[in-house]
Amino acid sequence: MNPTARLMVRIVAGLLLLLLVIISLAALMFNANDYRADIKQWALTNLGFELDIQDIQWNISKPTQLTLNNIKLTLPQHTPAEHPVAEIEQIWLQLSSSGWFSRELVIEQVILERPTLSISDNLLQHLQSGNPKPTSANEPSNVEPLPIASLQIKQFSINHLDLAVSLRQSPAVTLHDLTMHLNQWQLVQDHQLLTSKGAVDLELAINQIAINAFAVNNVFVSAQLQNQQLEIDQFSANHLKGKLVGELAMNVTPPLALKVKQFSLSDLNLEYSESWLQNFQANAPQLTANIESDQKVNQPVESPLFDSILIEQLALSEISFTSYDKQLPLTFNKLNLNLKNLPILSTGQWLDLSQVDQLNSQFNLNMREFYYAGTSITDLTLKSRVKGGKWEFYQVQGNSFDGHFSALFDISLQRYPDLHINHLTARDLDIGIQPEWLATKNEELAEPKDLLLPINSLVIDKLDLFNLNLLSYADELPLSIRGISLRLEQAQLIKQRHLLTIPPQWSQQASFELIVNEALYQGMKADKIRIKGKLNEDYLNPDMLQRLIPSTPVNVEGKIMDKAPEKRVIRLD
């Protein structure tokens, strides 16, 4: 090598060595924390939040790793007493070393440790005020292409997240100890940000979700998002000893279409009380005047978010319920329910009765024991189907001590349904009566012709009741009617939303026979009452009604007390 070439090599080697020394010194002297102020200003300008990062760790020996410690996100001009929107103990990021020259970035792993989120009315108001007016999906997009061709996060993890929701128009909701894993999360593709078009695999576990004192534990979700379709192939949760399992599918672009493929709830014992109901009341509910009219009720209620909700299969197993509220004297044990193919929302309208002809659903129920207001039923079985615009109950039966009953009927699915009873047979049943069921005010004693019922018509082909007892267990209603037997055939008791009056408003030749062994009310007693005839003016008139509820002392094949009730008229309709 000639001297000139040798000199040039030494000069280049010296320059490279000097450059390496300069780069090494710059790397050693570089401190990422010097850029925290710039990052804070960028977050305030572009995100609308104040961002504070206590420490940023980056090392030249591991250039693809970045750690952020003690991150706090707050609203602009927040008060000291206001909770931060988010607090994260640590964010750890691992970049891939490939794809930089082609601008196809891959983040190997992102981990968020112990984040805490707080959702408030102030946050929602800030987000709504800062969002631009949304454009229609049909309008052309003016979004400029991103400088990177693609961005993928292979693994995104959130560990031990806590969430608190405190809104005036909703109850207090807390979420404790959430862990979530996202795999193969594609965020950018072809220089465009993917929102609903992204693809991701998700696993989520929550230790507890609480609505005030009502808590659901051990929530687990496994789902996949692909081509704007979210498939939840596993969903489970626990409440008390009850187990909830489900499988759902839903698109992620409004209007949403939710399909409940399978949903089951088992081994749950609920105890209802006024304090339990208060868990779901809003913190500060907004009172609005109820101006709903009958005409408005006929209009379908629309859902602004969902377009359709279809329940393909719903199963309840071994469900028990006990009410400690005097206004709801209800208890049932060991309820089992199966429901199939029910579209509860269609074309944005809840239970649109105009489309009932298209329904083909099944509804089966059985219950070990049912108790309501003194009426006790055991071994209740109900099987039905919805088809051709009608809800057909083709098997209804149950027992009560030494008694039993069975029925076959159908209901037309319309605003004011038509009820058709093919047959109803009941023997030796005790039926409890609540005082609030009976009329106590003058306006409640209006003539039946002035009352419009929620049922358009009631037709009975055959009714056979034998030895029924109507009993009141309340001190304020000393009423007892025992040994009721009634036979009724080919009768229409309701027509065009009007109840059959006395004398009848419409002519019919329905035959009936009524027997009452004993009736007691406020010191009055009547026994061995028997009426047999037809539902027309000759047989059903005020004189005949007086035999049932005397206003003056009378004898009807028996004897009654001399003193008649004076406080009020009793109506059992």
Side-chain angles (χ1 to χ4, degrees):
M1 181 181 296
N2 58 47
T4 303
R6 187 179 298 110
L7 178 61
M8 292 299 299
V9 170
R10 290 179 179 179
I11 292 174
V12 172
L15 291 175
L16 291 177
L17 180 60
L18 178 61
L19 180 61
L20 180 61
V21 171
I22 294 174
I23 293 176
S24 300
L25 290 175
L28 293 174
M29 296 176 63
F30 175 80
N31 188 353
N33 289 288
D34 296 336
Y35 296 90
R36 287 187 299 172
D38 296 333
I39 297 174
K40 182 176 181 178
Q41 183 60 43
W42 179 89
L44 183 61
T45 303
N46 295 275
L47 303 179
F49 292 93
E50 291 187 1
L51 177 64
D52 181 59
I53 304 174
Q54 183 177 342
D55 183 44
I56 302 176
Q57 295 180 3
W58 181 83
N59 195 301
I60 187 61
S61 61
K62 298 179 179 179
T64 59
Q65 292 184 7
L66 181 66
T67 303
L68 310 178
N69 293 316
N70 297 325
I71 303 97
K72 183 182 294 186
L73 192 70
T74 57
L75 293 173
Q77 301 177 351
H78 66 282
T79 61
E82 190 173 358
H83 291 285
V85 175
E87 289 185 282
I88 306 174
E89 185 176 294
Q90 185 181 82
I91 299 178
W92 186 84
L93 184 144
Q94 172 73 49
L95 298 173
S96 174
S97 57
S98 61
W100 289 90
F101 293 103
S102 59
R103 291 184 292 180
E104 296 179 351
L105 305 184
V106 176
I107 300 178
E108 296 288 344
Q109 191 173 16
V110 178
I111 300 177
L112 276 64
E113 288 289 349
R114 300 190 181 279
T116 301
L117 305 180
S118 179
I119 299 177
S120 63
D121 291 295
N122 292 337
L123 172 61
L124 297 184
Q125 185 178 1
H126 175 73
L127 294 175
Q128 292 173 358
S129 62
N131 286 341
K133 183 178 179 180
T135 58
S136 173
N138 298 325
E139 296 180 3
S141 176
N142 296 324
V143 179
E144 296 182 0
L146 297 176
I148 57 175
S150 67
L151 173 61
Q152 183 188 53
I153 301 179
K154 289 187 175 181
Q155 185 175 350
F156 179 84
S157 301
I158 299 177
N159 297 328
H160 311 295
L161 177 143
D162 289 339
L163 169 68
V165 180
S166 180
L167 303 174
R168 288 189 296 269
Q169 298 302 316
S170 71
V173 179
T174 58
L175 186 150
H176 177 62
D177 197 6
L178 175 147
T179 298
M180 181 176 68
H181 299 289
L182 301 177
N183 297 317
Q184 307 301 325
W185 188 6
Q186 191 74 33
L187 290 175
V188 177
Q189 188 171 356
D190 296 330
H191 298 275
Q192 297 294 330
L193 179 65
L194 301 179
T195 54
S196 60
K197 296 181 180 180
V200 66
D201 295 335
L202 177 145
E203 284 190 357
L204 181 146
I206 305 173
N207 185 33
Q208 185 183 78
I209 301 176
I211 305 176
N212 288 318
F214 177 83
V216 177
N217 302 315
N218 302 326
V219 179
F220 178 78
V221 178
S222 176
Q224 297 83 36
L225 175 63
Q226 186 75 31
N227 297 325
Q228 302 183 12
Q229 186 72 16
L230 179 63
E231 295 282 345
I232 303 177
D233 51 29
Q234 186 176 354
F235 172 80
S236 62
N238 296 330
H239 175 63
L240 302 178
K241 295 183 179 179
K243 179 69 174 179
L244 175 65
V245 177
E247 183 179 351
L248 308 93
M250 181 180 69
N251 65 309
V252 295
T253 55
L256 305 181
L258 174 63
K259 180 186 294 185
V260 181
K261 296 181 178 180
Q262 186 269 337
F263 189 89
S264 64
L265 179 62
S266 60
D267 302 317
L268 181 61
N269 186 3
L270 290 174
E271 295 183 351
Y272 176 86
S273 63
E274 185 176 355
S275 59
W276 182 86
L277 189 62
Q278 290 176 352
N279 289 323
F280 305 96
Q281 295 180 355
N283 293 323
Q286 182 178 359
L287 299 179
T288 56
N290 185 10
I291 57 175
E292 182 179 22
S293 63
D294 186 70
Q295 183 178 2
K296 186 176 180 180
V297 171
N298 286 323
Q299 300 175 356
V301 180
E302 296 185 356
S303 169
L305 181 61
F306 284 90
D307 180 70
S308 65
I309 299 178
L310 171 64
I311 298 179
E312 291 188 345
Q313 184 171 355
L314 172 67
L316 304 180
S317 176
E318 301 293 312
I319 307 299
S320 299
F321 177 87
T322 303
S323 172
Y324 297 99
D325 189 347
K326 293 182 179 180
Q327 302 299 322
L328 184 64
L330 172 65
T331 297
F332 59 80
N333 295 317
K334 306 300 182 182
L335 177 144
N336 297 284
L337 169 67
N338 288 293
L339 179 64
K340 293 183 179 180
N341 300 323
L342 178 62
I344 62 176
L345 180 67
S346 179
T347 62
Q349 298 175 352
W350 295 100
L351 293 175
D352 184 8
L353 297 180
S354 64
Q355 301 183 9
V356 294
D357 292 339
Q358 305 175 13
L359 297 183
N360 186 11
S361 307
Q362 294 183 1
F363 179 91
N364 298 324
L365 177 147
N366 63 77
M367 196 181 307
R368 181 77 58 83
E369 182 182 10
F370 175 86
Y371 174 88
Y372 182 76
T375 302
S376 180
I377 303 296
T378 58
D379 301 325
L380 175 64
T381 299
L382 187 152
K383 295 183 178 181
S384 65
R385 58 177 170 261
V386 177
K387 191 174 183 180
K390 287 186 177 181
W391 192 355
E392 301 175 354
F393 294 80
Y394 56 88
Q395 182 180 356
V396 179
Q397 62 185 34
N399 301 321
S400 178
F401 300 106
D402 295 331
H404 61 87
F405 70 93
S406 62
L408 176 65
F409 60 94
D410 62 74
I411 304 174
S412 64
L413 296 178
Q414 56 192 25
R415 176 65 182 91
Y416 301 108
D418 297 317
L419 176 57
H420 179 210
I421 299 177
N422 298 88
H423 79 82
L424 173 60
T425 302
R427 301 177 64 89
D428 303 315
L429 297 183
D430 291 341
I431 301 175
I433 302 176
Q434 291 292 96
E436 56 268 21
W437 294 355
L438 307 182
T440 59
K441 300 179 182 179
N442 292 332
E443 56 268 22
E444 295 176 355
L445 294 172
E447 291 295 329
K449 64 181 180 180
D450 299 327
L451 299 177
L452 291 178
L453 302 177
I455 299 176
N456 182 57
S457 67
L458 171 58
V459 176
I460 299 177
D461 291 344
K462 184 177 181 180
L463 177 67
D464 188 3
L465 309 179
F466 177 76
N467 196 31
L468 268 63
N469 300 321
L470 297 180
L471 306 173
S472 170
Y473 299 96
D475 295 336
E476 60 268 29
L477 182 63
L479 174 64
S480 171
I481 305 176
R482 296 180 178 272
I484 302 174
S485 297
L486 174 63
R487 292 177 181 268
L488 184 62
E489 294 182 356
Q490 304 301 322
Q492 184 170 10
L493 303 184
I494 298 176
K495 185 177 182 180
Q496 296 180 350
R497 300 181 62 192
H498 288 87
L499 183 66
L500 180 69
T501 58
I502 301 173
Q505 290 178 277
W506 54 86
S507 176
Q508 56 182 320
Q509 296 299 315
S511 60
F512 76 97
E513 180 178 4
L514 174 65
I515 298 175
V516 179
N517 290 336
E518 179 185 77
L520 296 173
Y521 177 69
Q522 289 189 347
M524 179 198 74
K525 178 180 179 182
D527 56 9
K528 296 181 180 178
I529 301 173
R530 181 179 180 185
I531 303 174
K532 183 177 181 181
K534 295 182 180 297
L535 294 184
N536 53 36
E537 294 185 7
D538 296 334
Y539 293 89
L540 196 61
N541 51 56
D543 293 336
M544 193 66 69
L545 179 63
Q546 190 179 37
R547 296 170 178 260
L548 297 178
I549 309 174
S551 58
T552 59
V554 294
N555 292 321
V556 184
E557 298 183 11
K559 56 184 179 180
I560 61 174
M561 304 296 292
D562 292 336
K563 186 177 180 181
E566 299 177 353
K567 292 186 176 180
R568 60 186 177 185
V569 177
I570 301 176
R571 286 180 43 206
L572 302 179
D573 55 354

